Amino acid sequence: GFALVILLGAVILSLPISSASGQTTPFIDSLFISTSAVCVTGLVTVDTGTHWNIFGKTIIIVLIQIGGLGFMSFATLTAVLMGRKLGLKERLLMQEAYNAMNLQGIIRMVKYVVGFTFGVELIGAVILSTQFIPLFGWGTGIYYSIWHAISAYCNAGFDLFGGYNSLTNFSTNKVVLSTIMSLIVFAGLGFSVWIEIWSYRSIKKLSLHSKLVISATLILIFGGAFLIFIFEYSNPLTMGNMSLMDKVTNSFFASITPRTAGFNSISIPGMTMASRILTTIFMFIGGSPGSTAGGIKTTAVSVLFLTALCVLRG
């Protein structure tokens, strides 16, 4: 399924109707971009903001949405809408994809996940529109808001601002950075964790999985922000010339986004070596199971750390 989606996306992106110049895009570039979008990686070989026209950009964001939610989610949702019954094989695949503890209510969970995703993305787009519409006008502003809300929620890291600048031009815009950060964290916690949080009144107690995910996420976010703040405080190439509040905001952004999203609000090449090493570690860890994030997952790191701690303590 993933291979077919990637291949179809590559074929469409290579056509002249997808590029801003009206010329054919080399297939290897189209294949790379399609793979990067579906696998929500964020790496590009051509500038997303300037190379593609509105059709090409829309194809990319659709690929990102499919990749972020998961191919099986869309396949299951399509089957449900068509009134088709899902067998044990499909249900087991969905259980694995969403890190669900059992098969009971797995179809209902898929519907919840899709609804939750679109709802959070819509809220993010509305908030971003308050900043983008004054800058780009109504049409482009609304399109950019929806596009970047999806890209952030799916932890894709693609942007439309051109020049490979990512969000560096918005490094002092707290609304944009805070919204992007919130969308990344919401999606990075994992769908099963949000279901438990939503149902907390009835279940009264979070599972060990959710406790590990939430604890590890908070430690990584605040610990990473504190270290980035120290490492980059006086660096003129990144945050040295910013106000104290902007330094704090960008420290949190630089702590959250490397773990899987790929946006940046300060210059990555301009970072100190310590910050770059920390960024590499965060990219390796990634997000949480059953989310739109990648990496070896927060739970894996938590278990390894706690196991080592137990051994040391005897």
Side-chain angles (χ1 to χ4, degrees), residues 257-307:
T257 188
R259 284 198 296 116
T260 182
F263 291 107
N264 63 286
S265 61
I266 57 176
S267 171
I268 302 295
M271 279 182 165
T272 61
M273 185 57 68
S275 293
R276 278 186 256 174
I277 292 171
L278 183 63
T279 298
T280 305
I281 293 170
F282 278 172
M283 288 191 292
F284 180 72
I285 294 171
S288 303
S291 70
T292 62
I296 65 168
K297 309 303 184 206
T298 53
T299 47
V301 172
S302 299
V303 170
L304 287 171
F305 174 78
L306 292 172
T307 301

Side-chain angles (χ1 to χ4, degrees), residues 72 86-96 103:
M72 281 304 301
L86 295 178
L88 179 61
K89 181 181 178 181
E90 287 85 0
R91 291 172 186 267
L92 286 169
L93 283 170
M94 291 311 304
Q95 181 187 9
E96 181 70 22
L103 286 174

Side-chain angles (χ1 to χ4, degrees), residues 174-192:
K174 297 177 183 62
V175 176
V176 171
L177 296 188
S178 298
T179 304
I180 297 294
M181 280 191 284
S182 300
L183 289 168
I184 294 169
V185 172
F186 263 66
L189 285 175
F191 302 118
S192 61

Side-chain angles (χ1 to χ4, degrees), residues 245-258:
M245 281 306 299
D246 285 333
K247 286 179 180 179
V248 171
T249 304
N250 282 273
S251 295
F252 274 101
F253 195 87
S255 173
I256 290 170
T257 188

